[in-house]
Amino acid sequence: MKRWKHRPEGSTWGDWGDDDQLGRLNLITPAKVLQGIAEVKEGRSFCLSLPLDLPGGNVLNPRRLPPVLSPTGDENGWRFNFHTKTINPLFVDVASDDRVILTLQYSTQWDTLAHVGGFFDADGDGVPEPLYYNGFKAGIDVIGPQPDAGRDGCGHLSYAHKLGVENMAAKAIQGRAVMVDLEKHFGRDHKYVNYDDFRKVLEADKVVVEPGDMLLLYTGFTDEIVKMDKKVDPARAHAMCAVLDGRDKRLLQWITDSQISALIADNYGVEAVPALPGPDNAEHPSLPIHNHCLFKLGLNLGEIWWLKDLALWLRDKKQSRFLLTAPPLRLPGAVGSPATPVATV
C-alpha cells in the first residue's frame, strides 16, 4: 500500500518514485558528473575532511564523543605490537590490528535523510505521525532504540531499514560542486545569513548555481576549531562565523528552487544551532533547514567540512566550481556517517 496520501507542502515526496531513498541525489546524473570532470584543469586535489578526532571534547554536542581506538585480540593476546613468533617460533612478523568506537557525526560528516524527520499527517486521518523523507515511518522503517533493531541478530539497538547511509554510498556522490565564500564577505563574527545576504554574495562573486550542483559554504568555522587544538571554547563554539538563517522563508524557497543536490558547510549545522526563535504559540521545527532539506526535499546536509585550503585557492583564482567526490561509509542502517571528501581542480 502507498505509505502516504498527502505530502508536505513544497516537498519532493514521490517525485522520484514512491519508494525513492535518494532524494535530491537523483539530480547527480551522468551529465552532472561529466560537468564536474570538465572543471578539472590542474589535476590538483584537496582533502575536505578534518581529522576524525576534531573538534575535540564534546562542547559542540554533548552526546557526540571523540573516537576511541583499541586493539583486537583473541586467545593469543591483543593484536597490537604482537610478536607472531608466539604462535610459531619461525614467524618474524610484528602485527597490529585495531577497532574504533566512533560517533558517526562527530567530525566531518554527512546527514542522511533518516537523521531528521517530522510529524505530519500523511494518511489524512487527522493525526500527525512521526515520519521521514518520502513518508518512511519512525518505528517501522527507521527502528530503535530496541533490541535487535537490525533484525539480523547482530545486536544493533538502532537501524534505518530505509534511508540509511548505504544508499548514499552506493550512489557514490561525485559531480560538480560550487563554493560560496561567505567568510570573504562576512568575516568570522557571528552572522545570520538571510536570503538578501546570500544573493548579494552570489552576485558579487558571479557564482552561478545550476540544478544538480552540490553547494558548499565556506565560513571559516573549522579554521577556528583547528586553532582551538581540541580545547573548544564553549562561549564561542556556537557564536562564530556565518550560519544560514533557517527562519528566512525566502532563503528556504531559494534552496527549493535552486535544485541543488547537496548542501554542505564547514560549520556545525549549516544553519544556526540553535535557530532563531520561531513563530509565537505555533508549532515549528527546532532546526528549520534540517526540516526543509532532509524531511521535505530529500536534500542531504554535510557539516564540519574542512574547506579553507580549497576556498582560498578558488578565491585566488576567482573560481567557484570544481569536481567533488564525497561518498560516506557504506554502513547499512546508519543515519549519519563520517566523510573524507576530495575536491579536484
Side-chain angles (χ1 to χ4, degrees), residues 28 33 36-37 40 46 48 110 172-178 214-216 262 264 305 307 310 321-327 340-344:
I28 303 179
V33 175
I37 292 171
V40 179
F46 293 87
L48 304 187
W110 276 115
I173 312 185
Q174 183 179 56
R176 191 173 71 188
V178 180
M214 292 178 273
L215 183 65
L216 285 75
I264 299 153
W305 289 32
L307 301 182
L310 172 64
R321 290 175 168 177
F322 53 96
L323 173 66
L324 177 62
T325 306
T340 308
V342 175
T344 310

Side-chain angles (χ1 to χ4, degrees), residues 21 26 36 76 78 115 157-158 178 234 244 256 268 291 305 310 328:
Q21 299 183 57
N26 284 290
N76 294 305
W78 293 112
H115 175 52
L157 298 179
S158 60
V178 180
L244 295 186
T256 297
Y268 173 62
N291 177 271
W305 289 32
L310 172 64

Side-chain angles (χ1 to χ4, degrees), residues 20 27 40 57 82 144 168 170 184 229 255 271 315 337 339:
D20 175 62
L27 297 176
V40 179
F82 178 76
M168 298 176 67
K184 172 184 172 183
D229 193 23
I255 293 172
E271 64 181 313
R315 185 187 295 180
S337 173

Side-chain angles (χ1 to χ4, degrees), residues 6-270:
H6 310 284
R7 66 180 188 175
E9 183 179 356
S11 77
T12 63
W13 292 17
D15 284 3
W16 295 283
D18 292 345
D19 296 319
D20 175 62
Q21 299 183 57
L22 288 177
R24 285 269 188 103
L25 290 180
N26 284 290
L27 297 176
I28 303 179
T29 61
K32 184 56 62 174
V33 175
L34 290 173
Q35 287 178 0
I37 292 171
E39 297 296 332
V40 179
K41 308 295 184 183
E42 298 195 10
R44 181 172 178 178
S45 297
F46 293 87
C47 174
L48 304 187
S49 65
L50 287 175
L52 276 178
D53 59 354
L54 290 181
N58 64 340
V59 169
L60 285 184
N61 187 320
R63 303 184 311 277
R64 297 175 180 173
L65 301 172
V68 177
L69 291 164
S70 61
T72 64
D74 56 21
E75 67 276 5
N76 294 305
W78 293 112
R79 280 299 198 279
F80 217 83
N81 296 321
F82 178 76
H83 299 181
T84 57
K85 67 174 63 177
T86 62
I87 298 174
N88 184 326
L90 299 179
F91 290 166
V92 295
D93 315 288
V94 179
S96 293
D97 188 36
D98 53 5
R99 59 188 175 184
V100 63
I101 298 173
L102 180 65
T103 304
L104 294 175
Q105 291 171 276
Y106 180 74
S107 187
T108 300
Q109 66 185 263
W110 276 115
D111 287 350
T112 74
L113 305 184
H115 175 52
V116 172
F119 275 86
F120 180 72
D121 179 17
D123 55 14
D125 66 356
V127 180
E129 53 266 2
L131 302 171
Y132 295 92
Y133 167 74
N134 219 4
F136 289 108
K137 297 180 179 180
I140 295 176
D141 300 306
V142 181
I143 296 179
Q146 68 181 51
D148 195 27
R151 305 175 185 142
D152 57 4
C154 290
H156 303 296
L157 298 179
S158 60
Y159 203 96
H161 292 270
K162 301 293 183 180
L163 305 176
V165 75
E166 68 274 18
N167 297 285
M168 298 176 67
K171 174 64 177 175
I173 312 185
Q174 183 179 56
R176 191 173 71 188
V178 180
M179 180 78 76
V180 176
D181 193 343
L182 299 179
E183 196 266 354
K184 172 184 172 183
H185 293 269
F186 303 123
R188 297 188 183 179
D189 291 336
H190 201 38
K191 164 71 175 176
Y192 291 81
V193 175
N194 61 26
Y195 171 79
D196 289 331
D197 298 324
F198 192 73
R199 287 299 309 176
K200 288 176 183 177
V201 171
L202 295 183
E203 291 167 5
D205 291 347
K206 297 180 173 59
V207 176
V208 177
V209 181
E210 297 179 350
D213 288 341
M214 292 178 273
L215 183 65
L216 285 75
L217 310 175
Y218 174 57
T219 72
F221 182 92
T222 47
D223 307 20
E224 296 298 309
I225 289 294
V226 168
K227 288 180 184 178
M228 293 178 189
D229 193 23
K230 298 185 182 180
K231 301 177 182 65
V232 179
D233 180 358
R236 185 159 165 72
H238 293 297
M240 61 182 182
C241 304
V243 290
L244 295 186
D245 178 7
R247 300 293 183 203
D248 186 339
K249 293 183 178 179
R250 291 188 301 161
L251 183 59
L252 297 182
Q253 189 60 49
W254 183 90
I255 293 172
T256 297
D257 295 341
S258 69
Q259 297 186 65
I260 54 175
S261 55
L263 178 57
I264 299 153
D266 61 351
N267 58 25
Y268 173 62
V270 180

